[in-house]
Amino acid sequence: MTEAYGPDATPAPIVVLGIVPTDPPFRVVEIHGNVAGTAHDITDVIRLAHQAGLTHVDLDDPAVVRWVGGGKYKWAH
């Protein structure tokens, strides 16, 4: 898990972590606090969410996705 949440906070089910500067760069995706895989772009995030059983994947909704270290269009340093 990436962090603890207060009693009134509801964490987003999808968390996209910061960029790992490899070649090619990628971001780790957590779903419900568990590592679901790695993503090289936003389509990978949607694919991983669907594989985890999530059908509503609004990448612009902070209640659905929390972007760490850059938004949905940041995939390189």
Side-chain angles (χ1 to χ4, degrees):
M1 284 176 89
T2 56
E3 63 185 338
Y5 294 90
D8 296 330
T10 302
I14 303 169
V15 178
V16 182
L17 300 175
I19 300 162
V20 177
T22 60
D23 187 22
F26 67 89
R27 297 172 79 168
V28 174
V29 178
E30 292 182 350
I31 298 179
H32 297 298
N34 298 307
V35 173
T38 59
H40 293 96
D41 55 34
I42 57 177
T43 58
D44 287 342
V45 175
I46 294 168
R47 178 184 50 77
L48 290 167
H50 286 178
Q51 287 175 348
L54 299 175
T55 56
H56 176 71
V57 185
D58 182 349
L59 299 178
D60 295 319
D61 185 349
V64 176
V65 181
R66 184 166 65 92
W67 297 94
V68 178
K72 67 181 179 182
Y73 296 116
K74 178 120 174 132
W75 295 94
H77 279 291

